[in-house]
Amino acid sequence: MIKRVVMLLAAVTLTCVGLAAAPAQASTGGALSRCGSFQASDYFAQVVVPGRGAAFVGGGPRQDPRTPLRNLIRPGDVVGIFATGRVSYGGFFGSAGTWGPNGNGRTAPLNSYYPFPGGPQYALVGQWNNTSSNVRIGSLSACMVVPAGGDGVSVPWGLSLSPNDDGPLDNSGSYTANVHVWSAARS
């Protein structure tokens, strides 16, 4: 895992200085390959995910222009996230604990109050806006293919990031998510 983190951070550095691998033919497979081999991403954003709420990346023309990665995430692209930080989850006198992006190692109860019921409790999780499908993020996500669905305008392509907690209003702290996008069109 340390090797993957180091390689992902190297990809951030290369992306920030404008270096990128030469594009081959356009494909999701190519984007997955570039993500899996830790090549520089095509797009990058660092977003703060508040313990008391959520952060959204992506979206279409109706999205707030300040939204990270607005108009840069499309079905077939590949997204990878490296996250850090800590969130204190409140509870009775702080009994829920303070956890990093991987959560507390338990499974969240299967009730409708968790953003990802049955997912990792108190961890960083995501939901694809265009399909309402949940994904595990944690401190280092898998290379995730953006699912098909929606039209990119009324239902924009994007990912909502949040702590997996059924009562976030008593939380404090935040996670910092480094979001990388490997475009299928550039692969």
Side-chain angles (χ1 to χ4, degrees):
M1 181 172 146
I2 292 174
K3 181 178 178 185
R4 182 174 169 111
V5 170
V6 169
M7 295 301 290
L8 192 54
L9 290 174
V12 171
T13 303
L14 290 175
T15 300
C16 290
V17 297
L19 299 175
Q25 54 190 35
S27 74
T28 295
L32 270 170
S33 176
R34 291 191 304 127
C35 173
S37 62
F38 313 108
Q39 293 182 20
S41 56
D42 297 306
Y43 308 110
F44 167 78
Q46 187 175 74
V47 297
V48 174
V49 181
R52 292 182 179 203
F56 185 76
V57 295
R62 294 184 185 161
Q63 208 64 34
D64 183 327
R66 296 170 293 179
T67 303
L69 302 171
R70 178 180 172 255
N71 290 323
L72 297 176
I73 295 178
R74 306 228 180 309
D77 289 349
V78 175
V79 174
I81 299 173
F82 169 70
T84 60
R86 295 182 71 70
V87 171
S88 293
Y89 282 90
F92 188 69
F93 291 112
S95 61
T98 299
W99 306 100
N102 291 324
N104 66 359
R106 297 186 188 126
T107 300
L110 292 171
N111 70 39
S112 61
Y113 300 112
Y114 280 84
F116 187 170
Q121 187 177 37
Y122 304 144
L124 179 62
V125 297
Q127 184 177 64
W128 293 109
N129 189 57
N130 55 321
T131 63
S132 296
S133 56
N134 295 317
V135 291
R136 296 172 186 263
I137 304 296
S139 60
L140 185 62
S141 76
C143 295
M144 304 175 288
V145 177
V146 179
D151 61 9
V153 179
S154 61
V155 180
W157 304 306
L159 185 62
S160 178
L161 302 169
S162 65
N164 200 22
D165 184 15
D166 63 345
L169 295 180
D170 60 353
N171 294 351
S172 62
S174 63
Y175 296 130
T176 300
N178 296 292
V179 184
H180 297 266
V181 179
W182 289 266
S183 171
R186 293 181 170 204
S187 296

